[in-house]
Amino acid sequence: MRLHPLAADGLIAAALTTVAVLLGTEAVAQGWPALDPLAWTLVALLTLPLVLRTRAPVTVCLAVHACWAVYVTLDYWPVVGSFGPMLAVYTVASLRPTRTAAACAALLAGVWIYAGLRSDAGAMASVAGQAVGFPLVLWRFGYVARRTGELTLRLRAEQADRARREVAEERVRIARELHDVVAHHIAVINVQAGLARFVFHSDARTARDALDTIEGASGEALAELRRMLGLLRSDGVQGADGAPAPGLDQLDEMVTRVRTGGVGVELRVTGTPRPLPPGVQLCVYRVVQEALTNVLKHAPGADAAVELAYRAGEVAVSVTDGGPSERLDPVRPAERGGHGLIGMRERAKLYGGTIVVGPRSEGGFGVRLTLPTPVQAARRGDTVRE
């Protein structure tokens, strides 16, 4: 439990007052006059103002030193009133610049020597040593406390700035992911809209199926937009509707959606399926999504194959196609580029995997991603051929 600074200073002032009262009762035993009501009033004035020491350190320091000088002048035991001025000097040193702290330390030394002169001139060597040593120690401790506070504030500012940069970088990553997701759904909608327009009068059933696919793809695109925008507006890891990020269990749905867009896609799973971290599943899902989107955009009419392989310590996925069909568009180039490949490479590096992207020797295009499971801290190199 953290106390309010004013409450903490109040407890410190009360503790010093208690110590001063206990010492004051021993004044007669130490050969000094007994403390009368005036002396007790001065003792209170020496300690109680310390409640405000952090709010007005210099003013409190001057006030308690003035009271201490009056207390010493009246020939009361100086030790009883020494604790308030010492704490006041430490406070000034911990909160104010060095020049101000030095002046207050010199004031403490001067009153200390004055008290020595009033009490016992024969012990001036010891008094002078105390007058030099105590203020220096208090100033040093206060200086260290001030520097520690400044460094703490600087560290907190740097941590806050680093947190802001990390949030900005995360939002950029989310924006790139949003681009990939929306591009996939828009590509499906574009293909289906063209198909529906082509067979609108000749094949109403096919046109209706295409419109159903457009409705589903547009709904999913809007859901992804809401999910990603929810992430951009909050610090959560889920979307605004609380829906989890897509995983490998949704690959069948993606393949079916792309298949209805006119691309013959075959999904094969080898090895023994096992639970994978959500981040790894999302990485595989997005890479497959981007690769199939590229097939829709750059290789119309081509057949594609998606192979998911579970291996010891890793999971691999490959997406290959046979290239664009010349019957459908003989002059359309099969170039693959843009930000999609950069996004796939960054995803692979993020999870410590490798990715190979480029044209195949037997024709067509291929994407092969390999991720370690569980995710290893050390990132392996990646290879991208465009």
Side-chain angles (χ1 to χ4, degrees):
M1 182 178 62
R2 299 185 62 183
L3 291 176
H4 189 277
L6 188 62
D9 290 337
L11 291 176
I12 293 174
L16 287 181
T17 303
T18 302
V19 172
V21 170
L22 293 176
L23 283 176
T25 59
E26 298 292 328
V28 176
Q30 298 296 326
W32 292 88
L35 272 63
D36 54 21
L38 176 60
W40 288 119
T41 301
L42 291 174
V43 169
L45 292 175
L46 281 167
T47 56
L48 295 181
L50 295 173
V51 174
L52 304 175
R53 67 188 184 92
T54 56
R55 297 193 174 187
V58 177
T59 301
V60 170
C61 183
L62 295 177
V64 297
H65 276 83
C67 291
W68 193 30
V70 174
Y71 178 88
V72 171
T73 302
L74 296 175
D75 293 327
Y76 296 116
W77 190 19
V79 175
V80 176
S82 62
F83 298 103
M86 293 173 68
L87 180 58
V89 169
Y90 166 80
T91 303
V92 172
S94 64
L95 297 177
R96 292 294 181 262
T98 303
R99 285 187 178 181
T100 305
C104 291
L107 178 61
L108 174 62
V111 178
W112 198 287
I113 292 176
Y114 173 67
L117 292 174
R118 297 282 304 182
S119 59
D120 186 5
M124 281 306 299
S126 175
V127 171
Q130 295 173 2
V132 174
F134 286 162
L136 285 179
V137 170
L138 293 170
W139 172 83
R140 180 59 183 176
F141 277 117
Y143 173 79
V144 171
R146 179 164 61 88
R147 288 293 300 164
T148 302
E150 293 173 352
L151 293 176
T152 300
L153 292 176
R154 186 182 306 175
L155 178 60
R156 290 177 179 174
E158 292 177 355
Q159 290 175 339
D161 183 64
R162 187 182 301 111
R164 287 192 294 268
R165 289 199 304 268
E166 290 176 353
V167 169
E169 292 172 357
E170 180 67 11
R171 290 183 175 180
V172 170
R173 185 192 66 79
I174 292 173
R176 290 176 180 174
E177 184 166 298
L178 177 61
H179 166 269
D180 297 341
V181 171
V182 174
H184 169 77
H185 290 296
I186 294 301
V188 173
I189 292 173
N190 181 61
V191 172
Q192 290 297 312
L195 176 62
R197 180 180 181 182
F198 182 74
V199 300
F200 187 78
H201 296 290
S202 60
D203 192 345
R205 181 184 180 87
T206 302
R208 189 181 301 109
D209 292 341
L211 291 176
D212 290 340
T213 302
I214 290 174
E215 180 183 10
S218 61
E220 292 183 14
L222 289 175
E224 291 283 0
L225 278 172
R226 285 192 294 268
R227 182 180 294 116
M228 295 302 171
L229 291 177
L231 280 172
L232 291 175
R233 295 191 183 104
S234 66
D235 295 328
V237 296
Q238 293 186 342
D241 56 356
L248 298 182
D249 56 343
Q250 300 181 27
L251 281 181
D252 286 331
E253 298 178 12
M254 183 202 306
V255 168
T256 301
R257 184 170 58 245
V258 175
R259 192 178 290 133
T260 59
V263 176
V265 183
E266 179 185 1
L267 175 62
R268 296 190 301 271
V269 179
T270 61
T272 302
R274 61 181 182 274
L276 297 176
V280 174
Q281 294 192 49
L282 178 62
C283 179
V284 173
Y285 182 91
R286 295 306 188 199
V287 168
V288 173
Q289 186 180 55
E290 176 64 27
L292 291 179
T293 300
N294 286 337
V295 174
L296 282 170
K297 293 192 297 184
H298 303 294
D303 292 334
V306 178
E307 181 178 356
L308 178 63
Y310 292 90
R311 301 171 182 167
E314 65 181 17
V315 61
V317 64
S318 63
V319 181
T320 58
D321 65 75
S325 173
E326 296 184 358
R327 293 185 297 102
L328 295 178
D329 195 351
V331 298
R332 184 173 181 174
E335 297 179 357
R336 315 286 177 98
H339 297 288
L341 298 181
I342 298 176
M344 287 191 285
R345 179 178 60 186
E346 291 181 352
R347 290 181 187 279
K349 294 180 68 175
L350 179 64
Y351 291 98
T354 61
I355 187 167
V356 178
V357 181
R360 304 162 63 208
S361 58
E362 59 270 29
F365 206 81
V367 176
R368 183 174 184 83
L369 170 70
T370 303
L371 295 178
T373 56
V375 179
Q376 299 173 353
R379 296 178 176 177
R380 299 183 295 180
D382 60 300
T383 305
V384 177
R385 297 195 303 270
E386 302 183 33

